[in-house]
Amino acid sequence: MTVARSGGRVLVVSTDPAHSLGDALGVRLSARVSPVRIGAGRLWAVELDGPQAFQRWLVDHRRALGDIVEHGTWLDREDVDALLGLSIPGIDELIAMVEIVRLAQAGTAAERGSLRSSARSSARRRGPAQTGATAERESLRSSARSLARGGGPAQTGATAERESLRSSARSLARGGGAPRAVKNSYDLVIVDTAPTGHTLRLLGAPETVVAVADVLSGLQAEHRLIREQLARVRRPEAADRLITLIAEQAHETGELLRDPRRSAFHWVMLPEDLSLAESADALTALDRSRIPVAEVIVNRVIPDGSACPICDRLRADERRVIDRIPRRLGAKRLLRFVPAAVREPRGVAELVKIGKHLSGPDTRSRWLKAVAPSHSPDRQAVSTRLPRSEPRDLGRAARGDPGLCVAAPESIDAFDGARMLLFGGKGGVGKTTTAAATAVRLARAESGRRVLLMSTDPAHSLADVFGAAVGDRPEGVRDAPKNLRVRELDAAAALGARRGALEAALNEIVAAFGAQRGVDALRGGRGVGELIDLAPPGIDELLGVLAVADLLQPDTHGTPGTALRPEQDGRPSAASFDLIILDTAPTGHTLRLLELPGAAREWVQVLLRMLLKYRRLVRPGRLAAELVELSKSIRRLQALFEDRQQARFIVVTRAAEVPRLETERLIARLRRLRLAAPAVIVNALTLAPGRCLRCRAVAAAEQRQLALLERRCRQRSRECAIILTPLAAPPPRGVAVLDRWARTWIRRR
């Protein structure tokens, strides 16, 4: 906002499949570049649609791509077209990076593009109303940098930036619905990325694209040789030009991301333990990839104010986390702070205010003078521990309203009798905390049922919530019920465990379809092993689905309690859990997880048809048997998802406008997927504000959003339960605190 209003031409791009950019700006956006009115400024915005963008890319390149596959395999054009018509898991990340670079790229190789990325930490456990919604991130990431700041090239100021940020805006595609850029160049391209795990994968897309180019070049090699040696035609054809284009784009993208003169990455986090832990892991990964992180922005810091039991506990906890940031994230990184607002900022006017705040030298020393006094431990007037009994104010609030009752998870009908509970919603709303509290209470209430709590989010937080080591093996947690196991799915480890079988299957596919030349062209000369090392986009969702399918074999449909059996080789057997609770990734990628079984089954069916078609050349063998078994597993999983009695999606949200709007869209998508969503958990409500003026204002704003959310939910389904959870200061961590906190939940009658 600040750069645009000061005369710069700014494009803001959202790559999150569950876009909130339009919600933050207060405008309707689509996959077309649209102008945003901000007075005298010049701002454009677009919400990328990965699958649609890939289809538009295919419109221009389908023939050349089909020629390459046909030249390098035994497949005919009908087979190739069938493969190109399939959806590709994880294509969002690959195509999004291509789209962004094309927008930021100069019209000629001599001109420079710019990419200013900012990733949100999916560990924002206080949600957008408390954690920094897309609204605030929009303005804080588009703020002009002061020339006086100094440091590295990424911190030299707006004037220096614009000198290197000149980039032409070209149309991304020719097909209908393609994003259209303005005629003149942009000075700055700002990217609002998906949550942490998928942003890291987005930034790794260039490596995958380079490998794809190597494979395609290998498939084209023999055809190229025949054309040059026999036909004496040396000029490159469309297929060769496509391979060169793909390789050059990948190389240029990697260079752009690592060039601090043209690209700067701004990390946004919360002053909370979960966010700090996730940020430390993410910044380590970025440093390993040589992607410069210009600064860390600590968002939603409670400002100074009068004494208050709630605010004082939050301030003390925030100060403790902020004091640890330099040691955990690096003392040389610039720290900036954004104060928390009573009402979630939304719309141009509110975002401009934040932009002005961020455009100045907002350093740690400035924060210590302006905000830190209220974060002093001396201001902490009450214990930071959750009381062992029901808070009196909370109980009074529930008893004073005939439509409310205090209800722990084991007494909530939406959880009763389910075999799978999926907790999902917008990043930072508290999915992990509510899922963990539910798992503890349900396991304790029914000691005869074996419960598995599993995270499928690439940026795991279960270990941080429990304050215990959690890995890829289902393990017990200290002080938790004995029948509860916790697991954080490690996609890389799961891939390694399946490596032998995958290599054998890939070798069989390569042999069956005559594609050995393409695989041999991979750098390193290790054949299919190199393909597996790439860990293609979508692998975490795919392995998550396979893991769930393995744990839900038909014999687990028996009587509860019969699953309590000895483990095999230290691991639970595939049929060892009566209830699985999934802590999922944020909205966009969770929806992709739910849609993945259908896409995977399409791939299996097409591959089986091709194996049968070429069975005279290569016997289907073990690969066909594996594909048939995989198809059966996928059907079982689809049947489970669609069984309202067994699988239920628990939507977690916050009582703020941007998460409420995303929640409404999520519920609509779940209905289209025929997945039951019998409950919405509205997390961290200020239910007992007391006399604090700030808390009372926050509570009033939350009640307005809660009323709107409840009305929309009732319109879609009268059976949808609304569950309210109280704000805990600090957030609940550890088994005992999670257990007590879950007993304070409130259910609408």
Side-chain angles (χ1 to χ4, degrees):
M1 290 289 182
T2 304
V3 174
R5 287 170 68 89
S6 64
R9 301 177 63 86
V10 180
L11 172 67
V12 187
V13 182
S14 170
T15 65
D16 190 346
H19 301 289
S20 292
L21 178 57
D23 297 335
L25 294 170
V27 298
R28 185 184 294 271
L29 295 178
S30 68
R32 289 178 178 269
V33 175
S34 305
V36 179
R37 294 183 181 180
I38 58 170
R42 293 174 294 178
L43 179 70
W44 290 263
V46 60
E47 294 179 336
L48 294 183
D49 185 317
Q52 285 188 14
F54 180 63
Q55 292 304 314
R56 289 194 300 267
W57 186 87
L58 277 180
V59 168
D60 287 340
H61 304 297
R62 188 183 192 101
R63 183 176 183 83
L65 188 60
D67 287 344
I68 295 170
V69 178
E70 195 172 5
H71 292 158
T73 69
W74 296 339
L75 303 179
D76 58 27
R77 180 60 67 164
E78 181 183 359
D79 302 327
V80 173
D81 288 340
L83 288 174
L84 294 180
L86 296 172
S87 60
I88 302 176
I91 196 62
D92 310 64
E93 283 82 5
L94 291 178
I95 202 66
M97 185 54 73
V98 172
E99 299 273 72
I100 293 165
V101 171
R102 292 186 66 180
L103 280 172
Q105 224 173 22
T108 66
E111 292 178 329
R112 290 180 176 177
S114 172
L115 174 62
R116 183 176 291 273
S117 293
S118 179
R120 51 186 144 168
S121 166
S122 62
R124 298 183 195 88
R125 301 305 163 192
R126 274 183 286 150
Q130 301 286 336
T131 70
T134 305
E136 292 193 352
R137 290 195 297 272
E138 269 327 299
S139 57
L140 62 88
R141 283 179 295 202
S142 60
S143 59
R145 304 309 182 198
S146 170
L147 279 169
R149 225 183 300 156
Q155 302 170 4
T156 55
T159 304
E161 281 178 348
R162 291 199 191 101
E163 187 176 351
S164 66
L165 296 182
R166 291 294 164 187
S167 56
S168 66
R170 304 185 305 181
S171 174
L172 290 182
R174 301 186 184 93
R180 294 180 180 177
V182 294
K183 295 181 180 179
N184 299 321
S185 63
Y186 298 117
D187 297 310
L188 183 65
V189 175
I190 297 173
V191 182
D192 176 25
T193 67
T196 303
H198 297 278
T199 290
L200 294 177
R201 196 167 65 189
L202 169 72
L203 298 174
E207 180 183 358
T208 303
V209 174
V210 167
V212 170
D214 287 343
V215 172
L216 295 178
S217 181
L219 293 175
Q220 181 73 357
E222 185 172 314
H223 174 78
R224 189 184 299 122
L225 180 64
I226 292 173
R227 190 161 42 87
E228 292 176 355
Q229 297 297 322
L230 299 182
R232 302 297 180 185
V233 177
R234 297 186 180 276
R235 104 178 144 267
E237 59 184 16
D240 297 305
R241 291 194 295 272
L242 175 60
I243 294 170
T244 301
L245 173 66
I246 292 173
E248 287 180 349
Q249 283 183 334
H251 176 74
E252 291 170 1
T253 301
E255 291 297 314
L256 175 61
L257 290 172
R258 293 174 177 84
D259 187 349
R261 296 169 300 174
R262 298 184 292 160
S263 172
F265 199 101
H266 300 266
W267 188 264
V268 185
M269 63 166 289
L270 291 175
E272 292 184 354
D273 287 318
L274 289 189
S275 186
L276 179 59
E278 183 175 324
S279 298
D281 292 340
L283 292 183
T284 298
L286 291 172
D287 289 342
R288 247 190 337 258
S289 301
R290 295 183 292 113
I291 295 176
V293 178
E295 65 183 20
V296 174
I297 299 169
V298 185
N299 203 10
R300 305 299 300 173
V301 179
I302 302 295
D304 195 9
S306 59
C308 165
I310 296 176
C311 295
D312 287 348
R313 286 198 298 262
L314 288 173
R315 291 181 184 117
D317 194 55
E318 288 177 355
R319 174 61 182 267
R320 179 182 57 80
V321 174
I322 290 171
D323 286 343
R324 295 168 57 203
I325 290 177
R327 185 175 74 254
R328 292 292 304 276
L329 305 187
K332 294 183 179 180
R333 301 190 201 275
L334 181 66
L335 278 181
R336 297 168 66 80
F337 300 86
V338 178
V342 169
R343 189 178 64 177
E344 182 182 43
R346 184 169 183 252
V348 171
E350 294 298 320
L351 299 179
V352 167
K353 294 178 183 177
I354 301 175
K356 289 180 179 178
H357 174 81
L358 284 168
S359 62
D362 190 29
T363 62
R364 176 176 172 81
S365 60
R366 179 181 174 186
W367 175 81
L368 287 172
K369 293 179 180 179
V371 183
S374 64
H375 287 64
S376 170
D378 296 337
R379 287 289 305 273
Q380 185 179 357
V382 295
S383 171
T384 60
R385 295 180 179 274
L386 201 70
R388 295 186 177 276
S389 58
E390 175 191 317
R392 288 185 298 170
D393 290 341
L394 181 60
R396 190 181 304 118
R399 288 191 292 272
D401 187 337
L404 301 177
C405 66
V406 177
E410 64 270 20
S411 65
I412 296 173
D413 293 340
F415 301 160
D416 186 36
R419 294 195 56 249
M420 178 183 289
L421 295 173
L422 299 93
F423 282 72
K426 187 175 178 62
V429 296
K431 298 182 297 296
T432 302
T433 305
T434 54
T438 299
V440 170
R441 290 300 306 171
L442 294 184
R444 199 179 299 284
E446 296 188 63
S447 58
R449 298 183 77 196
R450 191 164 188 186
V451 179
L452 172 66
L453 172 62
M454 184 168 76
S455 169
T456 61
D457 188 346
H460 302 294
S461 294
L462 285 178
D464 301 309
V465 166
F466 282 109
V470 177
D472 193 35
R473 293 166 57 96
E475 301 283 358
V477 175
R478 183 178 179 181
D479 298 328
K482 301 299 183 184
N483 55 323
L484 174 63
R485 295 290 183 272
V486 182
R487 176 186 180 189
E488 291 181 339
L489 180 68
D490 186 332
L495 186 62
R498 297 170 181 262
R499 188 180 189 93
L502 285 172
E503 285 197 14
L506 281 174
N507 275 317
E508 204 165 330
I509 292 175
V510 167
F513 300 146
Q516 189 64 49
R517 290 183 301 276
V519 174
D520 290 343
L522 281 168
R523 297 172 186 176
R526 292 179 45 234
V528 297
E530 187 78 5
L531 280 176
I532 295 176
D533 286 340
L534 290 174
I539 192 67
D540 48 0
E541 284 94 345
L542 177 60
L543 291 175
V545 169
L546 291 177
V548 172
D550 289 343
L551 292 168
L552 294 172
Q553 294 294 324
D555 60 341
T556 61
H557 291 262
T559 304
T562 59
L564 290 173
R565 62 188 67 178
E567 299 181 350
Q568 300 173 355
D569 300 325
R571 282 183 172 272
S573 64
S576 58
F577 295 103
D578 298 301
L579 171 64
I580 296 177
I581 298 175
L582 293 183
D583 171 31
T584 67
T587 304
H589 295 87
T590 292
L591 288 172
R592 188 166 72 186
L593 169 68
L594 298 174
E595 293 167 349
L596 187 59
R601 192 175 177 192
E602 289 179 359
W603 274 91
V604 169
Q605 291 172 342
V606 169
L607 290 174
L608 279 172
R609 284 199 299 269
M610 291 181 182
L611 285 176
L612 291 175
K613 182 176 181 177
Y614 297 102
R615 62 184 180 275
R616 293 184 179 179
L617 296 175
V618 178
R619 294 182 61 185
R622 182 175 59 182
L623 176 60
E626 293 285 346
L627 290 175
V628 169
E629 184 57 36
L630 178 60
S631 180
K632 291 179 180 178
S633 297
I634 292 171
R635 283 200 301 269
R636 285 196 297 268
L637 189 64
Q638 286 177 311
L640 176 70
F641 280 165
E642 294 173 5
D643 188 334
R644 302 177 67 87
Q645 297 301 316
Q646 296 196 67
R648 299 162 198 174
F649 196 103
I650 309 302
V651 179
V652 185
T653 187
R654 299 298 299 266
E657 191 165 12
V658 170
R660 175 181 62 79
L661 293 171
E662 182 171 313
T663 295
E664 292 174 5
R665 293 191 293 268
L666 171 59
I667 293 174
R669 286 282 297 277
L670 292 173
R671 290 188 57 147
R672 288 197 293 272
L673 290 170
R674 294 187 294 177
L675 186 65
V680 175
I681 296 178
V682 186
N683 192 33
L685 284 164
T686 310
L687 296 175
R691 297 181 179 181
C692 174
L693 295 179
R694 185 181 187 281
C695 288
R696 291 170 71 89
V698 169
E702 290 175 348
Q703 289 302 315
R704 286 192 292 271
Q705 294 302 319
L706 179 60
L708 288 172
L709 177 64
E710 188 171 15
R711 188 180 311 133
R712 299 292 170 80
C713 289
R714 301 301 187 196
Q715 288 173 354
R716 289 185 169 91
S717 174
R718 293 186 177 182
E719 298 177 354
C720 182
I722 305 295
I723 302 165
L724 314 179
T725 73
L727 174 67
R733 301 289 178 262
V735 171
V737 179
L738 287 168
D739 192 313
R740 293 198 301 273
W741 177 65
R743 296 202 300 269
T744 67
W745 293 6
I746 293 175
R747 175 171 53 87
R748 295 280 191 184
R749 295 185 189 274

